[in-house]
Amino acid sequence: MIQVSGVIICLGYILGLLFTAVPWGGFWVLGLGVVGSLFLGRRRSHIRKSLQNKENSQAKAKTAPQLPPPTTPHARIWLIAGVVGLLASLYFQLRVPTPEANDISKFVPSENGNNQEQLFIVRGEVLSTPRMTRNQRGQLWLQATQLDEVRNDGGSAGTSRGVSGKLYVTVPLLQATGLHPSKQIAVTGVLYKPKPPSNPGAFDFQKFLQQEGTFAGLSGRRVNILDEGDKWGWWKVRQRIVRSQVRWLGIPEGSLLSAMVLGSKVVDLPYDTRDRFVQVGLAHALAASGFQTSLILGVVLGLTSKAKKATQITLGSIALILFLTLTGVQPSVLRAVVMGFAALIGIGLKRKVKQLGSLLVAAVLLLLFNPLWIWDLGFQLSFLATLGLVVTVSPITKRLGWLPPIIASAIAVPLAAAIWTLPLLLYVFSVVAIYTLPVNILSTPLISVISIGGMVSALTSLILPDAGSALANLLHHPIQWLLQLVNFFASLPGSTVAVGSISLGQMLAMYALILLVWLVHWWQRRWWFGGIIALGLVLIPVWHSVNTLSRVTVLASGEEPVLIIQNQGKVTLVNSGDEGTGRFTILPFLQQQGVNKIDWAIASSFQNNDNSAWLEVLQRLPIGIFYDYSPTSENYITSQVIQKEVQKNRGIYQPLSVGQSVNTDSTVVQLINNQLPILQLQVFGQNWLLVGEIKTTELRQLLSLGSLPHPQVLWCPGQSLKELIPALQPQVAIATSTNIDQKTLSELNQSQTKLFFTGRDGAIQWTPNGQFETFIQAAENKTSVL
């Protein structure tokens, strides 16, 4: 009874944290506790009364065995759980980071339409080892202490002030070389506040920084060293290990080995290698967590099997603490370490530890330490995967009893983890790694060998770096085999399939089915029925949406218009933007929409870019027909590469000349000028005109000659609105930014044209039977409803 009561109270605490996503969520949990105490407490009284009646009847018959007490918890337990849930929600609010009065984010200049950037000098202490970003810049965390404004001539403006707060800093890669924690530096750059995502499916950088307790960023240009600050820290140990393992293995082999030992969060692993592991469903191999902890404890307990229990517990504890300090305080690592200590306690008490109970205790302890981790994706995935291993591996292994035990276990472990994490992964990423099961089965022996060898190499490198390098070099072939395995499955067609975004209700319904199959005997016998329902919950809504949706989306993508036209399962992409737009804007949106193929693509190269964004798209999605208005001598090589990529996926590459029309199922596109970026479209019967950056004199000349058609929808840079709206009088005008003077903006707002700015409103969406909608406003409305 005590155990059941403790479980209910622990679950009440976790539920209270989860309900922080709902207004007044803590009081909802308290209400559930009151309801539970009334109804379940009444049921307990009824059970107790029935047992007493049986005891009385058996006493009269002189056969009165001791009857078990009622298993239903007392009413006060449910009430206590509700109160704990309420306190948990209040505790969560207290721990939510908020900027202090002198936080550096308070001094970020507001955007007033002035294109001139204000430079600042920020002094502070480096908190992390620099890492390379996808944009080939160095990134670090800085504890800001002083802020100085820079004059136009480069000198200090004399307005120096003390500040506080942690700052997200990016600097040129060479400027980041040699920086390390405890170093005092001064960074000259541009301060900014992170913005919410501007496009559906995009990464929420603002939310990420807030979870780190940061409210501003600094795009640095120059770094000056103020104090070397050569204090001892665990970063030196990590650096020694990484350098030793990379010395002979090189990159990416050496950094991959270090990431598998220490975790990718503390090792600068190349992004292409990291992306391929994620693509095939092996992201967990790069995360320091339970797998490494199990290996460490297994090796230590195996080597000390003949020693005393106290020796085993002491050495096991030292190994766990050393592993925790090397990998850093991460939720998945802490969870694994806490459960490892629970196993050691069980050895000391000579009792078998209940893994489910130790998992629940680990969750509560971690959430007491940091309640904000309840919304950390790594925390959620770690506990769900471990829960799957604890409760689902055994049933799956029994059903695979016709296979040899080793093979059955190799299948059951990744399958159990996948079942419990898949609904959350679909909710967050909208994609499924198709080959995750065979990849995990084939890679497990390699990962085990590499992890154990890497740990031995890491420990050796702390004493003899050369010996550590030699031991790491012995793992060259296993690492190469693992990389070849990952590359092979990543290159297979359909390695990842976008299923579209699922709602919170769909995810909760899938977890409800999983719980029923776990806990209810009827569902356990009909697990296949639950699987069919879960598939239907995901696939039927996505299929219906894809095959009935007709919509135009203008993405917030900088100075080049990027349009995605969806028409009952067919997709047309017009333009791709500059470098990074394909990876960070177009692909996330298409994944959220459940798009696995682009039927038509049209490149017009508005800003004379190198078309590298098209390559980013082609590396992940096939294109049926690629129409290219943009092949020129400047981007000839890139166009040739695009042609090969299109044809490799059995697509058609077709260059076009100016004036030649493109007809898709819902769109007619025509480039109407040879020298200037002007594109005319007819989408769902509506006329669109896309006008790129053109000099004012040239624009006036075109208007005076009547060379531009009168569209219903106009897209253009903000500075062209003043000339184009009075002359063309469109119903809707979409511009990139609001960097125009207030007088002009006020005059434009008085016209009949409805104005949208992607820099302010985010992506703009339109359906033939609806109105134009802005993504940021829709997201805010959704948040306010929740």
Side-chain angles (χ1 to χ4, degrees):
M1 179 60 64
I2 296 176
Q3 292 179 350
V4 175
S5 301
V7 168
I8 292 174
I9 293 173
C10 289
L11 291 177
Y13 178 76
I14 295 174
L15 196 63
L17 294 178
L18 288 173
F19 265 65
T20 54
V22 181
W24 304 96
F27 291 96
W28 284 101
V29 178
L30 178 60
L32 291 175
V34 173
V35 171
S37 66
L38 292 175
F39 289 93
L40 297 178
R42 184 179 301 173
R43 181 172 179 269
R44 184 178 188 273
S45 300
H46 178 73
I47 294 173
R48 181 179 291 276
K49 187 177 294 184
S50 299
L51 290 173
Q52 289 176 348
N53 292 334
K54 287 183 180 180
E55 285 181 349
N56 293 334
S57 62
Q58 290 173 354
K60 292 178 181 179
K62 297 182 180 180
T63 58
Q66 185 67 33
L67 294 176
T71 56
T72 304
H74 195 279
R76 64 173 175 268
I77 299 300
W78 297 100
L79 190 59
I80 292 172
V83 173
V84 169
L86 174 61
L87 294 176
S89 66
L90 297 176
Y91 177 50
F92 179 90
Q93 298 299 332
L94 289 175
R95 293 292 301 273
V96 171
T98 54
E100 298 179 3
N102 65 334
D103 189 272
I104 193 168
S105 62
K106 303 283 189 180
F107 306 102
V108 177
S110 59
E111 297 182 1
N112 54 9
N114 187 2
N115 290 324
Q116 186 176 1
E117 295 179 332
Q118 174 62 55
L119 294 179
F120 291 91
I121 300 176
V122 181
R123 293 173 171 82
E125 179 181 344
V126 178
L127 299 177
S128 66
T129 303
R131 306 185 65 180
M132 188 171 66
T133 67
R134 291 185 185 271
N135 295 326
Q136 306 298 309
R137 287 172 63 85
Q139 184 272 319
L140 56 93
W141 297 96
L142 184 73
Q143 183 64 45
T145 57
Q146 184 176 328
L147 178 67
D148 297 294
E149 189 174 337
V150 178
R151 297 195 308 262
N152 293 333
D153 59 2
S156 174
T159 56
S160 178
R161 55 172 65 91
V163 294
S164 63
K166 190 166 70 170
L167 198 60
Y168 178 92
V169 180
T170 57
V171 295
L173 197 57
L174 290 177
Q175 296 281 324
T177 304
L179 299 182
H180 56 73
S182 76
K183 215 169 199 177
Q184 299 289 330
I185 62 174
V187 185
T188 303
V190 179
L191 279 173
Y192 63 89
K193 283 188 177 181
K195 297 180 179 180
S198 300
N199 296 289
F203 176 66
D204 194 340
F205 183 55
Q206 184 184 66
K207 182 179 178 181
F208 165 73
L209 289 190
Q210 287 178 351
Q211 289 177 337
E212 298 292 332
T214 302
F215 304 94
L218 176 67
S219 179
R221 301 181 180 179
R222 186 173 66 251
V223 176
N224 294 322
I225 309 298
L226 303 178
D227 185 359
E228 290 294 334
D230 196 17
K231 299 178 183 177
W232 189 90
W234 285 104
W235 64 269
K236 290 189 174 183
V237 180
R238 299 187 198 110
Q239 188 179 73
R240 187 182 182 95
I241 292 172
V242 174
R243 286 178 176 176
S244 174
Q245 293 179 336
V246 171
R247 183 177 300 145
W248 288 5
L249 280 176
I251 295 176
E253 291 84 355
S255 52
L256 175 60
L257 176 61
S258 299
M260 293 178 68
V261 174
L262 303 175
S264 59
K265 286 194 173 182
V266 297
V267 177
D268 212 357
L269 185 66
Y271 281 102
D272 56 347
T273 303
R274 188 198 308 255
D275 291 343
R276 282 193 291 269
F277 271 75
V278 173
Q279 185 178 346
V280 301
L282 279 181
H284 61 87
L286 306 178
S289 59
F291 184 78
Q292 289 87 340
T293 306
S294 300
L295 288 176
I296 291 170
L297 276 183
V299 171
V300 172
L301 296 178
L303 293 176
T304 60
S305 58
K306 296 181 179 180
K308 295 180 179 179
K309 297 295 183 184
T311 304
Q312 285 187 307
I313 295 172
T314 301
L315 294 178
S317 301
I318 293 173
L320 289 176
I321 293 173
L322 181 62
F323 178 66
L324 176 62
T325 52
L326 285 176
T327 56
V329 180
Q330 305 171 36
S332 59
V333 178
L334 277 174
R335 189 270 311 159
V337 169
V338 170
M339 294 189 69
F341 276 114
L344 293 175
I345 293 172
I347 292 174
L349 298 176
K350 297 181 181 181
R351 294 177 58 183
K352 186 177 180 180
V353 176
K354 294 182 178 180
Q355 292 181 315
L356 195 58
S358 66
L359 179 63
L360 181 61
V361 170
V364 173
L365 289 177
L366 265 64
L367 292 174
L368 285 171
F369 174 71
N370 186 355
L372 304 180
W373 278 346
I374 192 69
W375 300 118
D376 182 271
L377 184 61
F379 175 91
Q380 296 168 349
L381 291 175
S382 175
F383 275 89
L384 286 172
T386 307
L387 180 60
L389 297 179
V390 171
V391 304
T392 311
V393 167
S394 180
I396 294 176
T397 304
K398 290 179 181 178
R399 293 187 178 277
L400 298 176
W402 50 276
L403 290 173
I406 295 178
I407 297 178
S409 177
I411 296 174
V413 170
L415 182 58
I419 289 172
W420 283 85
T421 57
L422 182 60
L424 178 60
L425 290 173
L426 288 177
Y427 179 71
V428 176
F429 299 112
S430 308
V431 295
V432 177
I434 296 299
Y435 306 118
T436 180
L437 191 59
V439 169
N440 276 275
I441 294 172
L442 295 173
S443 64
T444 297
L446 291 173
I447 293 174
S448 300
V449 170
I450 294 170
S451 297
I452 294 174
M455 292 174 187
V456 174
S457 167
L459 291 175
T460 306
S461 65
L462 298 179
I463 305 171
L464 297 172
D466 290 337
S469 299
L471 290 174
N473 195 46
L474 295 176
L475 300 171
H476 173 76
H477 290 296
I479 294 174
Q480 279 294 319
W481 296 336
L482 179 60
L483 286 172
Q484 290 171 8
L485 180 69
V486 170
N487 291 335
F488 170 75
F489 280 98
S491 62
L492 290 178
S495 59
T496 56
V497 174
V499 298
S501 60
I502 66 172
S503 67
L504 178 62
Q506 287 173 282
M507 183 188 72
L508 294 178
M510 293 176 71
Y511 277 118
L513 287 169
I514 294 173
L515 291 173
L516 287 173
V517 173
W518 169 31
L519 299 173
V520 181
H521 182 68
W522 189 92
W523 284 94
Q524 289 172 359
R525 296 175 58 188
R526 297 164 179 82
W527 59 269
W528 53 269
F529 182 54
I532 292 174
I533 296 176
L535 286 175
L537 283 172
V538 175
L539 298 181
I540 292 176
V542 170
W543 175 86
H544 179 267
S545 175
V546 168
N547 289 279
T548 58
L549 179 65
S550 296
R551 182 173 62 193
V552 180
T553 302
V554 183
L555 296 176
S557 55
E559 299 302 320
E560 179 173 315
V562 177
L563 277 70
I564 297 177
I565 303 164
Q566 299 165 267
N567 184 34
Q568 298 179 355
K570 301 294 183 180
V571 178
T572 303
L573 173 60
V574 181
N575 294 331
S576 65
D578 53 12
E579 183 180 3
T581 303
R583 179 183 295 112
F584 301 119
T585 302
I586 297 174
L587 287 174
F589 173 79
L590 295 177
Q591 287 176 359
Q592 190 197 57
Q593 299 299 309
V595 174
N596 294 289
K597 179 185 177 182
I598 299 172
D599 299 280
W600 299 276
I602 302 166
S604 63
S605 197
F606 260 45
Q607 300 298 321
N608 294 322
N609 57 41
D610 59 0
N611 283 337
S612 58
W614 283 115
L615 295 177
E616 297 171 357
V617 174
L618 283 164
Q619 288 171 0
R620 298 297 298 272
L621 291 179
I623 294 178
I625 305 177
F626 190 98
Y627 296 103
D628 195 353
Y629 278 117
S630 63
T632 61
S633 57
E634 289 82 2
N635 57 18
Y636 174 77
I637 296 177
T638 307
S639 296
Q640 293 297 308
V641 175
I642 291 174
Q643 181 177 354
K644 291 180 179 178
E645 286 289 332
V646 171
Q647 294 173 347
K648 184 174 71 174
N649 293 316
R650 299 181 180 180
I652 300 172
Y653 176 85
Q654 183 173 337
L656 298 175
S657 58
V658 174
Q660 191 173 354
S661 297
V662 174
N663 291 279
T664 69
D665 66 332
S666 61
T667 309
V668 179
V669 183
Q670 183 182 30
L671 189 69
I672 62 177
N673 193 291
N674 190 30
Q675 302 295 327
L676 302 176
I678 304 174
L679 201 65
Q680 184 179 6
L681 296 85
Q682 188 176 41
V683 187
F684 301 126
Q686 190 177 59
N687 294 320
W688 290 55
L689 183 66
L690 313 181
V691 180
E693 189 170 349
I694 302 175
K695 295 180 179 179
T696 304
T697 54
E698 295 175 335
L699 191 60
R700 289 173 179 171
Q701 185 178 3
L702 287 172
L703 293 173
S704 63
L705 295 175
S707 302
L708 297 179
H710 289 257
Q712 292 166 286
V713 181
L714 170 69
W715 183 99
C716 66
Q719 61 268 24
S720 301
L721 289 172
K722 185 177 181 179
E723 305 292 337
L724 291 175
I725 287 182
L728 303 180
Q729 297 181 349
Q731 296 175 6
V732 174
I734 302 173
T736 54
S737 64
T738 57
N739 287 335
I740 53 179
D741 61 88
Q742 290 297 321
K743 181 180 179 182
T744 302
L745 185 60
S746 177
E747 293 174 355
L748 294 175
N749 285 327
Q750 294 175 4
S751 66
Q752 299 297 319
T753 301
K754 192 171 184 179
L755 293 177
F756 295 98
F757 298 92
T758 55
R760 180 194 66 190
D761 303 318
I764 312 297
Q765 295 184 316
W766 171 76
T767 56
N769 298 323
Q771 300 293 324
F772 283 81
E773 295 182 352
T774 63
F775 170 70
I776 291 180
Q777 184 63 44
E780 291 176 351
N781 291 340
K782 182 178 179 181
T783 303
S784 64
V785 169
L786 291 176

